[in-house]
Amino acid sequence: MSITINEIPVKRVDKSRLPEVDFDNLAFGSVFTDHMFRCTYREGRWQQAEVVPYGPLTLDPASKIFHYGQSVFEGMKAYRDSDGKAWLFRPEENQRRLNISASRMAIPELPDGLFMEGLKALLEVDRDWIPGQSGSSLYIRPFIFASGTGFHASPADAFTFIIACAPSGSYFSGKVSVKIEEAYSRAADGGTGFAKAGGNYAGQFYPTQLAARDGFQQVIWTDDHRHEYIEEAGAMNIFVRIGDTLMTAPTSDRILDGITRKSILQLAESENIPVEVRKIRVAEVVEASKNGSLREMFGAGTAAVVSPISSFGYRDELFELPEPEDSYAAHFKKRITDIQYNRAEDPFGWRYPLG
């Protein structure tokens, strides 16, 4: 399926809800734009791409999304600069990763052009929904789910691809305290941990609820074998700074290839900041905290960009982290957001203009 933005039909809403939105008080992902992009897969091909009013879907109770969880998604944002121009950040990486996730979940990959042309068509219609307030953005959620029917345990024969958007303020406020998890695992070797599959996140909720009862906001996931190595922080990639060296776990079957993660690594390399991409032992982090060489830990992801960690719990002991004046977390967040909001040069070609 090869399409251009001009070939995508648009059905507009009769009346926009835009005047009703308080853009100065936006909760994350709770207010939705007027339209969404929709495309269906049936009879062996993607077809019927269109922009339609945002609204409920009608699905058969036997739709396989309900029974076997065939679904994948992405998270990305559109930004508005001080001159009113709109931008995306590395959208080709979201397109690539969505197809990687789809392939792992036996979902047909999107053909070249469908993702970007559909996204551009939607944002052309809902362009005024991109906030201009500092720190705010238009969160974009592309997702594919099994809409084919049947109770038999097999891949669906029909799927729906949707892009929906939500103007949002900041995802997190302040620093977070996390618990290093030893009883539960996020993912296993040979599994779907590297894919943005809906079930991966559903499986995180219960352990995170247990951690919240103990006063933590998030969980640091460890390997499924012996819970010896740090892997991710909540739904984010994790970075650890010991001394002046920045460390993060390598991607694998269990770890998502985060776009913010790879951006931080590229920024660090360009600034000659010492970086190690390797397995990080929990014991190493605990020892570094005790001897004073652990300077920072932070999560990295699309929603929050960078989320500093103020403390971590491990085996009934709480370890506080210092607040370094030369914070890598603050530095990389500023570098990335300055590029996203067109406040700085973009030497990497990450910024994508929206008309």
Side-chain angles (χ1 to χ4, degrees):
M1 181 181 188
S2 177
I3 60 171
T4 66
I5 187 173
N6 295 327
E7 296 173 326
I8 299 175
V10 176
K11 182 180 180 181
R12 293 180 178 267
V13 295
D14 294 329
K15 182 181 179 182
S16 174
R17 291 176 286 104
L18 192 59
E20 305 168 11
V21 178
D22 181 3
F23 279 89
D24 292 320
N25 295 284
L26 287 171
F28 183 83
S30 60
V31 176
F32 306 99
T33 64
D34 289 325
H35 302 88
M36 61 185 183
F37 174 79
R38 181 174 62 193
C39 188
T40 57
Y41 179 92
R42 60 181 187 276
E43 298 173 352
R45 65 186 180 94
W46 287 101
Q47 53 188 292
Q48 199 178 346
E50 56 186 348
V51 174
V52 298
Y54 179 91
L57 304 173
T58 300
L59 292 174
D60 192 294
S63 295
K64 290 199 172 185
I65 178 59
F66 300 134
H67 307 281
Y68 303 111
Q70 262 186 297
S71 70
V72 294
F73 69 96
E74 272 298 319
M76 52 195 301
K77 292 180 180 179
Y79 309 85
R80 192 179 296 280
D81 67 20
S82 59
D83 294 326
K85 296 178 181 178
W87 308 87
L88 297 172
F89 183 73
R90 309 190 73 176
E92 73 287 346
E93 291 291 336
N94 295 99
Q95 176 182 351
R96 181 188 66 84
R97 192 171 62 184
L98 185 63
N99 272 342
I100 290 173
S101 298
S103 178
R104 179 61 181 86
M105 299 301 292
I107 295 172
E109 294 183 22
L110 300 175
D112 289 345
L114 178 58
F115 181 97
M116 285 303 303
E117 294 304 307
L119 178 58
K120 288 189 290 185
L122 173 60
L123 294 181
E124 185 174 274
V125 176
D126 280 347
R127 185 186 184 92
D128 291 342
W129 284 84
I130 304 174
Q133 288 80 353
S134 176
S136 296
S137 57
L138 183 68
Y139 186 79
I140 302 167
R141 172 54 61 86
F143 59 102
I144 309 172
F145 64 90
S147 46
T149 58
F151 290 150
H152 47 290
S154 62
D157 59 1
F159 296 86
T160 301
F161 171 45
I162 287 176
I163 306 176
C165 303
S168 300
S170 299
Y171 187 63
F172 288 122
S173 59
K175 296 187 176 184
V176 296
S177 182
V178 298
K179 174 188 176 183
I180 295 180
E181 182 59 56
E182 290 190 281
Y184 298 93
S185 297
R186 176 188 174 274
D189 285 341
T192 62
F194 69 92
K196 286 187 74 70
N200 290 348
Y201 296 80
Q204 295 183 38
F205 294 155
Y206 177 68
T208 304
Q209 287 177 339
L210 295 180
R213 294 176 191 173
D214 294 329
F216 301 100
Q217 285 79 50
Q218 279 294 346
V219 167
I220 289 184
W221 301 105
T222 53
D223 66 283
D224 64 305
H225 300 297
R226 295 188 298 272
H227 299 287
E228 183 180 357
Y229 297 99
I230 282 176
E231 297 204 326
E232 292 199 356
M236 308 176 78
N237 295 116
I238 187 168
F239 284 85
V240 175
R241 177 185 178 185
I242 296 178
D244 288 331
T245 300
L246 187 66
M247 296 179 286
T248 193
T251 55
S252 67
D253 287 346
R254 302 188 303 272
I255 298 176
L256 185 72
D257 185 11
I259 296 167
T260 306
R261 171 190 177 276
K262 65 176 59 178
S263 300
I264 289 174
L265 290 175
Q266 196 167 343
L267 284 168
E269 181 182 359
S270 72
E271 297 177 16
N272 295 316
I273 292 174
V275 173
E276 294 180 4
V277 179
R278 63 170 176 83
K279 292 183 176 182
I280 307 167
R281 282 188 166 84
V282 175
E284 178 183 3
V285 175
V286 170
E287 178 58 28
S289 180
K290 290 179 177 179
N291 67 30
S293 61
L294 178 63
R295 302 191 64 191
E296 287 183 90
M297 295 172 65
F298 56 89
T302 296
V305 185
V306 172
S307 183
I309 294 171
S310 60
S311 61
F312 67 90
Y314 180 63
R315 295 183 178 177
D316 299 321
E317 193 171 358
L318 186 67
F319 298 85
E320 301 284 350
L321 275 81
E323 296 185 13
E325 292 183 2
D326 61 339
S327 166
Y328 285 175
H331 173 72
F332 288 127
K333 182 169 186 175
K334 185 177 189 305
R335 282 295 312 273
I336 290 174
T337 55
D338 280 351
I339 291 173
Q340 290 170 336
Y341 288 94
N342 195 28
R343 296 190 294 250
E345 292 298 318
D346 177 17
F348 309 103
W350 293 339
R351 199 163 48 222
Y352 184 96
L354 285 171

